[in-house]
Amino acid sequence: MKTAVLILALLAPASSMLAADAKAGGAAYDKSCKNCHGAAGTPNATMAKMFPTMGDLSSAKVQAVSDAELKKVITDGKGKMPASKTLTVPPDDVVAFIRTLKK
Ligand code: HEC
């Protein structure tokens, strides 16, 4: 029993230092991106009419974009998309979430 606790204590900090947190990214996405991009990455219909250049984040085309490039779109904006200045998580987390949208 004591050993299990010790192992957990050793593993917990290590795993939280691993790759970006897609779950936290998803929560931030719901707040800052969903209104335009839709819950699953497919633009919501009204926004798609307003912003015809907006791609489907779950599509092969957007999924082929590099992490660095996606991060840049999020932090700097692109075309009609405003830079996301109110994110409460690192943009890497949001990129990790976008990867989970892949069809
Ligand atoms: C006001 C609506 C709006 C919001 C909010 C918004 N986007 Fe966008 N997004 C757009 C539009 C419009 C484009 C297309 C930009 C262009 O190329 O003209 C775009 C493009 C993108 C792209 C590049 C792929 C593509 O469709 O061309 C990514 C990735 C992306 N957005 C992610 C996000 C993320 C993540 C958030 C939240 C942090 C977010 N967007 C918030 C409207 C929005």
Side-chain angles (χ1 to χ4, degrees):
M1 197 56 197
K2 257 191 180 158
T3 319
V5 171
L6 182 65
I7 290 173
L8 279 179
L10 288 172
L11 283 179
S15 59
S16 66
M17 275 162 52
L18 280 177
D21 185 345
K23 207 170 160 213
Y29 179 93
D30 281 354
K31 262 193 260 161
S32 310
C33 325
K34 196 172 80 175
N35 282 345
C36 291
H37 286 282
T42 305
N44 82 54
T46 315
M47 290 300 177
K49 264 184 220 149
M50 271 172 74
F51 302 115
T53 53
M54 182 168 38
D56 186 330
L57 301 184
S58 69
S59 68
K61 186 167 170 258
V62 174
Q63 290 292 330
V65 175
S66 72
D67 285 3
E69 197 65 30
L70 289 178
K71 197 168 140 181
K72 195 169 180 317
V73 173
I74 295 167
T75 51
D76 299 352
K78 181 189 170 198
K80 292 262 157 51
M81 175 174 153
S84 298
K85 296 195 160 81
T86 56
L87 276 187
T88 50
V89 301
D92 290 318
D93 288 359
V94 183
V95 171
F97 173 74
I98 292 175
R99 294 305 180 200
T100 70
L101 298 175
K102 188 176 178 184
K103 273 183 190 146

